[in-house]
Amino acid sequence: MNNFMSVFGTEQYFPQLSIDCVVFGYEEKSLKVLMAKFKFGKNIWILPGGYIKQNENIENAAQRILFDRTGLEKIYLEQFRVFGSENRVEKSSVKDEIYDTLTEKFCKADADWILSRFISIGFYALVDINKVNLKVGEFDHFLTWVEVDKIPNMAYDHEEIIEKGLESLRRDLDQKLLGFNLLPETFTMKELLELYEAVYNKEFSMNNFQKKMLDLKILERLEKKFTGAQNKAPYLYRLVESNHI
Amino acid sequence: MNNFMSVFGTEQYFPQLSIDCVVFGYEEKSLKVLMAKFKFGKNIWILPGGYIKQNENIENAAQRILFDRTGLEKIYLEQFRVFGSENRVEKSSVKDEIYDTLTEKFCKADADWILSRFISIGFYALVDINKVNLKVGEFDHFLTWVEVDKIPNMAYDHEEIIEKGLESLRRDLDQKLLGFNLLPETFTMKELLELYEAVYNKEFSMNNFQKKMLDLKILERLEKKFTGAQNKAPYLYRLVESNHI
DNA sequence: CCAAAAGTGTTGCCCATACACCCATGT
DNA sequence: ACATGGGTGTATGGGCAACACTTTTGG
């Protein structure tokens, strides 16, 4: 194999620049983050990420990277920070562990490219977890959702990226009314409340929360949701069209 | 001159990745931004920027770039966004205007490197304008402060960068108590008020502002400042040490 | 004493919180 | 009828804005 030709196709990408995504989903009253078990090495967990093509803008690159993993288009995305300490990759144990495997699978040039020093643009994404169809990426063994308070040890600085992503989400959720991106089309007020409680890891009182939400005039009340439980049936709500972000 | 060797020294930097800084200063009741007249071409205005060395972290690179322009160390810096639409540089008229000049001054390889597609990390910086000693950078004809509401047409997407930088400053100023970075050590309450008015382009009432600031318990009252004016002399204040950011 | 501007006190409003209560649902 | 949880109304307190007032300064 020729050492000067990339098998992976590195020429089409920006060198030393990557995107890492903190994809948030909400399920069973918990806020979860999508992560991948790395295909090579042992027990290496990483965020879904990828590279930026030379003729692609950054947001589109992130959309493409996430479409490949989730099958979803037009995901809500927010750039929140750039990560690039000198030793994110080189000083990590991951590098030694996978260098040989990458050289075998691709070629030396690719392994060097992939394991050079990278600066990574952090995005967070909000998805309706029920609409996601997980599909592994080039370097993923499998993908899985993990609750934000049960994040395992992760490769490189990916734990820090999740942390800063969550901070940014907390800063923006209420201000920009982003929560609806994590829920299905219709939802009860209690489900919305529980989403907020999951994100902020703190309890809110139902009636005041309801008043605040209804005062915003962005929700339309639909029919009641009869669950068969012996109590008053809650109303379903939907975000009025013009307020979708 | 050898086309394969860089005169400018591009090998030491991350390719296609730059930093652009929106440096804010406050003077004569106005919020100002530092900008440079580009050394080549005609009437091209750019933000102070630069590149990231291979062995340097991002924040340090920004500090270095600004130290070179202002003589200040440990400037307050905040990364606020990445800019990288496909056509920031290529589609701009600036490219054609300066390509030949750059080829002459450096070499073709350098001109190509400098005018390739760049993704730029936007920082905003807050400085005490009186402490700044302006010094031109490699590509600057001269540097100057411009009021935020009098920004000229700028090269590439630098107007957008300033706009987003100002939005970020407005979001952070009060929350993170950053205003003091724009003022000298000691200041009157009115000066602080006027700084806020300049940043938010809106008036605040003196007594309520004063109450809010004093309630924060982060200011210590010093001696009065006698200006010779025939009115009550205002107190000087200083941010108490532990609250410096 | 007076004009100018600094600094303080008082009131009312809005919003978030806490508490109490009423309503629908299925057994 | 009643337990369960959804949904609404009312009082309380803190923070902010508007207004009125007192204090200091140099002429």
Side-chain angles (χ1 to χ4, degrees):
Chain A
M1 186 167 300
N2 186 331
N3 269 342
F4 300 102
M5 283 285 284
S6 167
V7 176
F8 180 59
T10 54
E11 309 85 15
Q12 67 184 311
Y13 297 112
F14 273 73
Q16 304 187 63
L17 188 60
S18 58
I19 286 176
D20 282 305
C21 299
V22 185
V23 185
F24 290 108
Y26 175 70
E27 193 183 37
E28 290 165 4
K29 305 187 185 186
S30 291
L31 186 68
K32 300 185 177 183
V33 173
L34 185 62
M35 58 181 65
K37 179 124 178 333
F38 198 62
K39 199 170 184 175
F40 313 114
K42 285 207 312 209
N43 206 32
I44 298 174
W45 292 93
I46 53 170
L47 289 171
Y51 309 111
I52 301 165
K53 293 182 181 172
Q54 285 291 348
N55 62 352
E56 186 178 47
N57 83 26
I58 305 171
E59 160 105 15
N60 289 349
Q63 291 285 359
R64 171 179 54 76
I65 289 163
L66 291 184
F67 174 77
D68 290 346
R69 302 318 211 289
T70 66
L72 296 179
E73 297 184 86
K74 296 183 185 168
I75 292 175
Y76 181 84
L77 277 178
E78 199 76 50
Q79 225 191 81
F80 64 93
R81 179 158 184 162
V82 177
F83 297 86
S85 51
E86 308 92 305
N87 47 19
R88 329 183 38 236
V89 174
E90 293 90 332
K91 295 274 173 69
S92 80
S93 57
V94 173
K95 182 168 180 173
D96 298 333
E97 199 172 342
I98 63 178
Y99 184 83
D100 292 341
T101 316
L102 286 178
T103 304
E104 253 175 64
K105 175 155 172 69
F106 301 111
C107 66
K108 186 171 179 309
D110 284 345
D112 286 336
W113 191 93
I114 291 167
L115 293 173
S116 65
R117 181 185 165 198
F118 268 80
I119 283 174
S120 192
I121 304 171
F123 280 83
Y124 72 78
L126 304 179
V127 300
D128 175 356
I129 206 167
N130 299 304
K131 289 202 184 134
V132 171
N133 281 310
L134 293 179
K135 223 178 83 189
V136 294
E138 176 97 43
F139 297 110
D140 307 332
H141 178 211
F142 62 86
L143 289 157
T144 185
W145 293 98
V146 178
E147 295 179 31
V148 286
D149 51 4
K150 290 176 187 163
I151 304 294
N153 285 334
M154 299 196 67
Y156 314 130
D157 53 359
H158 285 199
E159 278 169 77
E160 186 193 356
I161 296 178
I162 293 175
E163 201 174 307
K164 298 289 181 196
L166 181 55
E167 278 175 26
S168 302
L169 173 62
R170 284 178 174 153
R171 192 189 58 199
D172 299 341
L173 182 76
D174 204 37
Q175 184 65 31
K176 300 188 183 173
L177 303 170
L178 304 182
F180 308 102
N181 294 296
L182 291 163
L183 291 174
E185 268 286 305
T186 65
F187 46 85
T188 66
M189 195 57 77
K190 175 144 198 169
E191 287 166 343
L192 185 58
L193 170 78
E194 287 169 343
L195 165 61
Y196 269 71
E197 294 183 330
V199 171
Y200 291 107
N201 192 28
K202 134 179 190 190
E203 302 204 339
F204 299 92
S205 88
M206 187 62 219
N207 68 339
N208 297 323
F209 182 82
Q210 167 135 323
K211 260 181 286 187
K212 185 180 127 184
M213 280 299 156
L214 294 181
D215 278 356
L216 293 174
K217 312 279 186 208
I218 57 168
L219 296 180
E220 56 176 329
R221 180 177 279 187
L222 309 172
E223 72 281 11
K224 291 188 174 186
K225 180 189 183 187
F226 293 90
T227 61
Q230 48 186 309
N231 53 40
K232 190 172 175 178
Y235 291 103
L236 286 172
Y237 292 91
R238 175 167 50 202
L239 185 65
V240 301
E241 201 74 33
S242 59
N243 292 99
H244 277 95
I245 302 183
Chain B
M1 187 166 301
N2 186 331
N3 269 344
F4 301 101
M5 283 285 286
S6 167
V7 176
F8 179 59
T10 54
E11 310 83 16
Q12 68 185 309
Y13 298 112
F14 273 73
Q16 303 187 66
L17 189 59
S18 59
I19 286 175
D20 282 306
C21 300
V22 184
V23 185
F24 290 108
Y26 175 70
E27 192 182 40
E28 289 163 5
K29 305 188 184 184
S30 291
L31 186 67
K32 300 185 177 182
V33 173
L34 185 62
M35 59 181 64
K37 178 122 180 332
F38 198 61
K39 200 171 186 176
F40 314 114
K42 285 205 315 207
N43 205 33
I44 298 173
W45 292 93
I46 53 171
L47 289 171
Y51 308 111
I52 301 165
K53 293 182 181 172
Q54 285 291 349
N55 61 353
E56 186 178 49
N57 83 28
I58 305 171
E59 159 105 15
N60 287 351
Q63 290 285 358
R64 170 179 54 76
I65 288 163
L66 291 184
F67 174 77
D68 291 347
R69 302 318 210 292
T70 66
L72 295 179
E73 296 184 88
K74 295 183 186 169
I75 291 175
Y76 181 83
L77 276 179
E78 200 76 48
Q79 226 190 78
F80 64 93
R81 181 158 183 162
V82 177
F83 297 85
S85 52
E86 308 91 305
N87 47 18
R88 326 181 42 232
V89 174
E90 293 89 331
K91 295 275 172 69
S92 80
S93 58
V94 173
K95 182 167 180 174
D96 298 332
E97 197 171 344
I98 63 178
Y99 185 83
D100 292 341
T101 317
L102 286 178
T103 304
E104 252 175 64
K105 175 153 170 70
F106 301 112
C107 65
K108 184 170 181 311
D110 283 345
D112 286 335
W113 191 93
I114 291 168
L115 293 174
S116 65
R117 181 184 166 201
F118 267 80
I119 283 175
S120 191
I121 304 171
F123 280 83
Y124 72 78
L126 304 179
V127 301
D128 175 355
I129 207 167
N130 298 304
K131 289 201 183 135
V132 171
N133 281 310
L134 292 179
K135 224 177 83 189
V136 294
E138 178 96 41
F139 298 108
D140 307 331
H141 178 210
F142 62 86
L143 289 156
T144 185
W145 292 97
V146 178
E147 295 179 31
V148 285
D149 51 4
K150 291 176 187 162
I151 304 294
N153 285 333
M154 300 195 67
Y156 314 128
D157 52 359
H158 285 200
E159 279 168 74
E160 186 193 356
I161 296 178
I162 293 174
E163 200 175 307
K164 299 289 181 194
L166 181 55
E167 277 175 26
S168 303
L169 173 62
R170 284 179 174 152
R171 192 189 59 199
D172 299 341
L173 182 76
D174 203 37
Q175 185 63 30
K176 300 189 182 171
L177 303 171
L178 304 180
F180 309 101
N181 295 297
L182 290 163
L183 291 173
E185 269 285 302
T186 65
F187 46 86
T188 66
M189 194 57 78
K190 174 144 198 165
E191 286 166 343
L192 185 58
L193 170 78
E194 287 169 342
L195 165 61
Y196 269 70
E197 293 183 330
V199 171
Y200 291 107
N201 192 29
K202 131 180 193 191
E203 301 205 338
F204 299 92
S205 88
M206 187 62 219
N207 68 340
N208 296 323
F209 182 84
Q210 167 134 327
K211 262 180 283 189
K212 186 181 127 183
M213 281 298 158
L214 294 180
D215 278 356
L216 293 173
K217 312 280 187 208
I218 57 168
L219 296 180
E220 57 177 328
R221 182 176 277 189
L222 308 171
E223 73 282 8
K224 291 186 175 187
K225 180 189 182 187
F226 293 91
T227 61
Q230 50 185 305
N231 55 39
K232 189 171 175 179
Y235 290 103
L236 286 171
Y237 292 90
R238 174 167 51 201
L239 185 65
V240 301
E241 200 74 34
S242 60
N243 293 98
H244 276 95
I245 302 184

